[in-house]
Amino acid sequence: IDGGAANLSLTGVWASGPSDAWVVGSTSDTNRGVILHWNGSAWSVSTLPILDGGAEPGLDAVWGSGPTDVWAVGGEISPEGSGGGILHWDGTAWSPSHLPLVEGGFGLPSVGLLLGVWSRAPNDAWAISGGLGFGILHWDGSVWSVSASAIGGSHLWGSGPKDIWAAGGLEHWNGSGWSAGASPKKDNLFGIWGSGTSDVWTVGDTSLHWDGIAWSPFPLPPVSLYGVGGSGPCDVWAVGTSGVILHHP
């Protein structure tokens, strides 16, 4: 990679197992998209498709349902031009996925900058946008369509087809529609992760916990957090500004 690792801004990671991990991001100077793959022994740089007009996208998030079904999302990567877009890995190569166009804030067709993606099966994936064209998109195995979400946000996490959360507006999908989850604070929430239906964390300028009934504030040091993850209810990690790493045992 031109400029080496110091020239990279890496923003998303997902793995299907010890010998199959993906990291996405962009070069710090030109915002060109970068995808790295771990095969169990070494990292390699993936070849990205060159789109119409020579676009080479910045990427923000990656998720998959298995080694041959991985999605990467970001901005300026749709063949339609401006806005967000999605790349798909089929086990052999990355290719752009056609997206629906919606009316943007300036009357322009756009899907907005795509910030998050979550998938549980080859016929069930979700992507979330911010900026122009706020909203959530759904993949049914054939096409992407706009889901009826009023807010959109930054990241997605789910435990199954009837339990998906969107950070930002804290909207919840119950299998048939999106609804706003009542919480003490919804602004500036950037990361979301859970171990199950009654244990979900979201972080940002504040931190909240879902116990299956309600969201409640969780006291943390006064820092901005951007990501959260873990292996279970008693092993949760959050990361943020100034190199902060927090652990909840």
Side-chain angles (χ1 to χ4, degrees):
I1 301 171
D2 293 342
N7 188 42
L8 299 181
S9 176
L10 302 176
T11 53
V13 60
W14 176 84
S16 68
S19 60
D20 180 40
W22 295 95
V23 170
V24 302
S26 57
T27 55
S28 300
D29 52 354
T30 61
N31 198 39
R32 293 168 58 185
V34 172
I35 298 182
L36 307 177
H37 182 253
W38 173 258
N39 64 5
S41 60
W43 289 97
S44 60
V45 181
S46 290
T47 301
L48 302 189
I50 301 298
L51 307 179
D52 294 345
E56 296 182 79
L59 297 169
D60 290 286
V62 61
W63 201 275
S65 67
T68 61
D69 178 44
V70 185
W71 298 95
V73 304
E76 303 293 337
I77 68 176
S78 67
E80 293 83 3
S82 65
I86 299 181
L87 300 179
H88 182 255
W89 172 259
D90 62 5
T92 303
W94 289 95
S95 60
S97 185
H98 180 78
L99 295 177
L101 295 179
V102 298
E103 197 70 14
F106 297 102
L108 301 173
S110 171
V111 294
L113 176 64
L114 291 169
L115 301 174
V117 62
W118 180 82
S119 172
R120 69 168 193 91
N123 65 347
D124 188 17
W126 298 84
I128 190 166
S129 73
L132 292 178
F134 280 108
I136 298 176
L137 306 176
H138 181 250
W139 171 258
D140 63 3
S142 299
V143 297
W144 286 96
S145 59
V146 178
S147 184
S149 163
I151 302 174
S154 55
H155 288 285
L156 296 160
W157 178 85
S159 67
K162 297 182 180 181
D163 179 41
I164 303 171
W165 288 96
L170 277 186
E171 290 183 283
H172 182 256
W173 173 261
N174 63 5
S176 59
W178 290 94
S179 60
S183 77
K185 180 178 174 61
K186 297 182 181 181
D187 296 334
N188 298 325
L189 297 171
F190 306 119
I192 191 165
W193 174 85
S195 67
T197 57
S198 59
D199 179 42
V200 185
W201 297 86
T202 184
V203 299
D205 290 342
T206 188
S207 298
L208 303 174
H209 180 253
W210 173 259
D211 62 4
I213 299 175
W215 288 98
S216 58
F218 190 83
L220 289 176
V223 296
S224 292
L225 300 171
Y226 295 108
V228 60
S231 64
C234 298
D235 182 32
V236 184
W237 295 87
V239 297
T241 57
S242 302
V244 168
I245 301 176
L246 303 175
H247 183 243
H248 174 63

